[in-house]
PDB file of all heavy atoms in Angstrom:
ATOM      1  N   PHE A 507     -22.683 -27.972-131.135  1.00 99.00           N
ATOM      2  CA  PHE A 507     -22.945 -27.005-132.201  1.00 99.00           C
ATOM      3  C   PHE A 507     -24.320 -27.254-132.811  1.00 99.00           C
ATOM      4  O   PHE A 507     -24.924 -28.319-132.646  1.00 99.00           O
ATOM      5  CB  PHE A 507     -21.834 -26.999-133.255  1.00 99.00           C
ATOM      6  CG  PHE A 507     -21.600 -28.299-133.976  1.00 99.00           C
ATOM      7  CD1 PHE A 507     -22.252 -28.590-135.159  1.00 99.00           C
ATOM      8  CD2 PHE A 507     -20.686 -29.222-133.483  1.00 99.00           C
ATOM      9  CE1 PHE A 507     -22.014 -29.779-135.842  1.00 99.00           C
ATOM     10  CE2 PHE A 507     -20.432 -30.414-134.146  1.00 99.00           C
ATOM     11  CZ  PHE A 507     -21.105 -30.701-135.335  1.00 99.00           C
ATOM     12  N   SER A 508     -24.818 -26.221-133.499  1.00 99.00           N
ATOM     13  CA  SER A 508     -26.160 -26.300-134.066  1.00 99.00           C
ATOM     14  C   SER A 508     -26.255 -25.328-135.234  1.00 99.00           C
ATOM     15  O   SER A 508     -25.243 -24.850-135.741  1.00 99.00           O
ATOM     16  CB  SER A 508     -27.222 -25.998-133.007  1.00 99.00           C
ATOM     17  OG  SER A 508     -28.519 -26.300-133.471  1.00 99.00           O
ATOM     18  N   THR A 509     -27.474 -25.012-135.640  1.00 98.00           N
ATOM     19  CA  THR A 509     -27.686 -24.106-136.761  1.00 98.00           C
ATOM     20  C   THR A 509     -27.609 -22.654-136.286  1.00 98.00           C
ATOM     21  O   THR A 509     -27.434 -22.379-135.097  1.00 98.00           O
ATOM     22  CB  THR A 509     -29.042 -24.400-137.436  1.00 98.00           C
ATOM     23  OG1 THR A 509     -29.100 -23.718-138.693  1.00 98.00           O
ATOM     24  CG2 THR A 509     -30.208 -23.947-136.564  1.00 98.00           C
ATOM     25  N   ALA A 510     -27.772 -21.724-137.205  1.00 98.00           N
ATOM     26  CA  ALA A 510     -27.598 -20.310-136.902  1.00 98.00           C
ATOM     27  C   ALA A 510     -28.526 -19.830-135.788  1.00 98.00           C
ATOM     28  O   ALA A 510     -29.669 -20.281-135.665  1.00 98.00           O
ATOM     29  CB  ALA A 510     -27.849 -19.479-138.165  1.00 98.00           C
ATOM     30  N   TRP A 511     -27.983 -18.932-134.954  1.00 98.00           N
ATOM     31  CA  TRP A 511     -28.714 -18.198-133.913  1.00 98.00           C
ATOM     32  C   TRP A 511     -29.214 -19.088-132.766  1.00 98.00           C
ATOM     33  O   TRP A 511     -30.104 -18.691-132.026  1.00 98.00           O
ATOM     34  CB  TRP A 511     -29.899 -17.412-134.507  1.00 98.00           C
ATOM     35  CG  TRP A 511     -29.547 -16.697-135.763  1.00 98.00           C
ATOM     36  CD1 TRP A 511     -30.056 -16.931-137.012  1.00 98.00           C
ATOM     37  CD2 TRP A 511     -28.575 -15.656-135.924  1.00 98.00           C
ATOM     38  NE1 TRP A 511     -29.472 -16.100-137.935  1.00 98.00           N
ATOM     39  CE2 TRP A 511     -28.551 -15.297-137.302  1.00 98.00           C
ATOM     40  CE3 TRP A 511     -27.717 -14.980-135.046  1.00 98.00           C
ATOM     41  CZ2 TRP A 511     -27.720 -14.306-137.811  1.00 98.00           C
ATOM     42  CZ3 TRP A 511     -26.886 -13.998-135.563  1.00 98.00           C
ATOM     43  CH2 TRP A 511     -26.901 -13.672-136.917  1.00 98.00           C
ATOM     44  N   GLN A 512     -28.598 -20.249-132.603  1.00 98.00           N
ATOM     45  CA  GLN A 512     -29.015 -21.150-131.532  1.00 98.00           C
ATOM     46  C   GLN A 512     -28.134 -21.038-130.278  1.00 98.00           C
ATOM     47  O   GLN A 512     -28.054 -21.977-129.483  1.00 98.00           O
ATOM     48  CB  GLN A 512     -29.032 -22.591-132.040  1.00 98.00           C
ATOM     49  CG  GLN A 512     -30.123 -22.867-133.060  1.00 98.00           C
ATOM     50  CD  GLN A 512     -31.495 -22.528-132.521  1.00 98.00           C
ATOM     51  OE1 GLN A 512     -31.911 -23.075-131.501  1.00 98.00           O
ATOM     52  NE2 GLN A 512     -32.197 -21.626-133.196  1.00 98.00           N
ATOM     53  N   GLU A 513     -27.520 -19.880-130.092  1.00 98.00           N
ATOM     54  CA  GLU A 513     -26.721 -19.664-128.883  1.00 98.00           C
ATOM     55  C   GLU A 513     -27.512 -19.931-127.605  1.00 98.00           C
ATOM     56  O   GLU A 513     -26.983 -20.568-126.676  1.00 98.00           O
ATOM     57  CB  GLU A 513     -26.146 -18.242-128.866  1.00 98.00           C
ATOM     58  CG  GLU A 513     -24.953 -18.038-129.762  1.00 98.00           C
ATOM     59  CD  GLU A 513     -25.305 -17.775-131.210  1.00 98.00           C
ATOM     60  OE1 GLU A 513     -26.518 -17.745-131.541  1.00 98.00           O
ATOM     61  OE2 GLU A 513     -24.386 -17.590-132.017  1.00 98.00           O
ATOM     62  N   PRO A 514     -28.778 -19.464-127.488  1.00 98.00           N
ATOM     63  CA  PRO A 514     -29.523 -19.753-126.249  1.00 98.00           C
ATOM     64  C   PRO A 514     -29.633 -21.252-125.954  1.00 98.00           C
ATOM     65  O   PRO A 514     -29.433 -21.673-124.804  1.00 98.00           O
ATOM     66  CB  PRO A 514     -30.895 -19.134-126.533  1.00 98.00           C
ATOM     67  CG  PRO A 514     -30.609 -18.010-127.472  1.00 98.00           C
ATOM     68  CD  PRO A 514     -29.528 -18.541-128.366  1.00 98.00           C
ATOM     69  N   THR A 515     -29.926 -22.038-126.977  1.00 98.00           N
ATOM     70  CA  THR A 515     -30.037 -23.489-126.782  1.00 98.00           C
ATOM     71  C   THR A 515     -28.699 -24.095-126.403  1.00 98.00           C
ATOM     72  O   THR A 515     -28.607 -24.909-125.463  1.00 98.00           O
ATOM     73  CB  THR A 515     -30.567 -24.158-128.066  1.00 98.00           C
ATOM     74  OG1 THR A 515     -31.894 -23.692-128.314  1.00 98.00           O
ATOM     75  CG2 THR A 515     -30.584 -25.671-127.922  1.00 98.00           C
ATOM     76  N   LEU A 516     -27.645 -23.723-127.104  1.00 99.00           N
ATOM     77  CA  LEU A 516     -26.336 -24.293-126.827  1.00 99.00           C
ATOM     78  C   LEU A 516     -25.834 -23.900-125.437  1.00 99.00           C
ATOM     79  O   LEU A 516     -25.224 -24.711-124.742  1.00 99.00           O
ATOM     80  CB  LEU A 516     -25.333 -23.850-127.894  1.00 99.00           C
ATOM     81  CG  LEU A 516     -25.587 -24.357-129.316  1.00 99.00           C
ATOM     82  CD1 LEU A 516     -24.477 -23.891-130.248  1.00 99.00           C
ATOM     83  CD2 LEU A 516     -25.703 -25.873-129.345  1.00 99.00           C
ATOM     84  N   ILE A 517     -26.081 -22.667-125.036  1.00 99.00           N
ATOM     85  CA  ILE A 517     -25.686 -22.232-123.695  1.00 99.00           C
ATOM     86  C   ILE A 517     -26.441 -23.028-122.635  1.00 99.00           C
ATOM     87  O   ILE A 517     -25.868 -23.457-121.634  1.00 99.00           O
ATOM     88  CB  ILE A 517     -25.906 -20.711-123.534  1.00 99.00           C
ATOM     89  CG1 ILE A 517     -24.833 -19.948-124.330  1.00 99.00           C
ATOM     90  CG2 ILE A 517     -25.886 -20.291-122.070  1.00 99.00           C
ATOM     91  CD1 ILE A 517     -25.085 -18.468-124.461  1.00 99.00           C
ATOM     92  N   LYS A 518     -27.717 -23.255-122.857  1.00 99.00           N
ATOM     93  CA  LYS A 518     -28.521 -24.047-121.915  1.00 99.00           C
ATOM     94  C   LYS A 518     -27.964 -25.462-121.786  1.00 99.00           C
ATOM     95  O   LYS A 518     -27.793 -25.978-120.666  1.00 99.00           O
ATOM     96  CB  LYS A 518     -29.975 -24.088-122.389  1.00 99.00           C
ATOM     97  CG  LYS A 518     -30.904 -24.888-121.474  1.00 99.00           C
ATOM     98  CD  LYS A 518     -32.342 -24.852-121.961  1.00 99.00           C
ATOM     99  CE  LYS A 518     -32.520 -25.629-123.248  1.00 99.00           C
ATOM    100  NZ  LYS A 518     -33.951 -25.769-123.627  1.00 99.00           N
ATOM    101  N   LEU A 519     -27.667 -26.095-122.905  1.00 99.00           N
ATOM    102  CA  LEU A 519     -27.152 -27.467-122.892  1.00 99.00           C
ATOM    103  C   LEU A 519     -25.761 -27.533-122.278  1.00 99.00           C
ATOM    104  O   LEU A 519     -25.474 -28.415-121.455  1.00 99.00           O
ATOM    105  CB  LEU A 519     -27.115 -28.014-124.316  1.00 99.00           C
ATOM    106  CG  LEU A 519     -28.446 -28.095-125.067  1.00 99.00           C
ATOM    107  CD1 LEU A 519     -28.213 -28.572-126.498  1.00 99.00           C
ATOM    108  CD2 LEU A 519     -29.425 -29.009-124.347  1.00 99.00           C
ATOM    109  N   ALA A 520     -24.897 -26.612-122.685  1.00 99.00           N
ATOM    110  CA  ALA A 520     -23.525 -26.611-122.177  1.00 99.00           C
ATOM    111  C   ALA A 520     -23.483 -26.350-120.684  1.00 99.00           C
ATOM    112  O   ALA A 520     -22.700 -26.967-119.943  1.00 99.00           O
ATOM    113  CB  ALA A 520     -22.696 -25.568-122.928  1.00 99.00           C
ATOM    114  N   TYR A 521     -24.328 -25.441-120.220  1.00 99.00           N
ATOM    115  CA  TYR A 521     -24.368 -25.126-118.788  1.00 99.00           C
ATOM    116  C   TYR A 521     -24.852 -26.328-117.982  1.00 99.00           C
ATOM    117  O   TYR A 521     -24.270 -26.664-116.934  1.00 99.00           O
ATOM    118  CB  TYR A 521     -25.278 -23.930-118.544  1.00 99.00           C
ATOM    119  CG  TYR A 521     -25.391 -23.528-117.087  1.00 99.00           C
ATOM    120  CD1 TYR A 521     -24.353 -22.873-116.450  1.00 99.00           C
ATOM    121  CD2 TYR A 521     -26.542 -23.813-116.353  1.00 99.00           C
ATOM    122  CE1 TYR A 521     -24.452 -22.499-115.112  1.00 99.00           C
ATOM    123  CE2 TYR A 521     -26.650 -23.447-115.025  1.00 99.00           C
ATOM    124  CZ  TYR A 521     -25.604 -22.798-114.404  1.00 99.00           C
ATOM    125  OH  TYR A 521     -25.704 -22.438-113.086  1.00 99.00           O
ATOM    126  N   ALA A 522     -25.900 -26.989-118.459  1.00 99.00           N
ATOM    127  CA  ALA A 522     -26.417 -28.158-117.749  1.00 99.00           C
ATOM    128  C   ALA A 522     -25.363 -29.252-117.692  1.00 99.00           C
ATOM    129  O   ALA A 522     -25.190 -29.922-116.652  1.00 99.00           O
ATOM    130  CB  ALA A 522     -27.686 -28.667-118.432  1.00 99.00           C
TER     131      ALA A 522
END
Side-chain angles (χ1 to χ4, degrees):
F507 60 91
S508 191
T509 193
W511 316 116
Q512 291 304 302
E513 282 83 0
T515 296
L516 294 183
I517 287 169
K518 180 178 69 172
L519 300 176
Y521 180 74

